[in-house]
Amino acid sequence: MKGLLYPLCGSKTRNRIKEDTILNNYPFYYRKCKRESLIAVKDLQITVVKKLEAKY
C-alpha cells in the first residue's frame, strides 16, 4: 500500500491505495489546502482530471 500525495500541492494525505487499485473520476478533497479535484489513478500514477472548487 502506498500513501497518496495531493496532486495540486504535493502534500501527504491520509488516503492509501494498493498497487492494483483503479480510480476514475474520484472526487478527492484535501482539507489542509481546502481544494477539491477529480483524479484518476492507475498503476499508482495519479492524474488530475478536473480541478473543482470546494464547497465545504
Side-chain angles (χ1 to χ4, degrees):
M1 292 180 71
K2 181 179 177 183
L4 284 177
L5 296 178
Y6 190 68
L8 299 178
C9 65
S11 298
K12 292 182 182 179
T13 66
R14 295 180 185 177
N15 299 347
R16 296 175 65 173
I17 57 172
K18 293 173 56 175
E19 292 82 12
D20 60 349
T21 301
I22 297 173
L23 297 172
N24 192 19
N25 291 330
Y26 179 72
F28 191 40
Y29 176 74
Y30 188 53
R31 63 181 176 84
K32 288 186 179 179
C33 64
K34 295 178 175 60
R35 293 190 208 168
E36 186 176 25
S37 59
L38 290 177
I39 63 169
V41 177
K42 186 174 181 182
D43 297 326
L44 297 177
Q45 297 296 317
I46 301 171
T47 306
V48 176
V49 176
K50 183 178 180 183
K51 297 177 188 174
L52 303 173
E53 291 187 27
K55 297 173 185 158
Y56 302 102

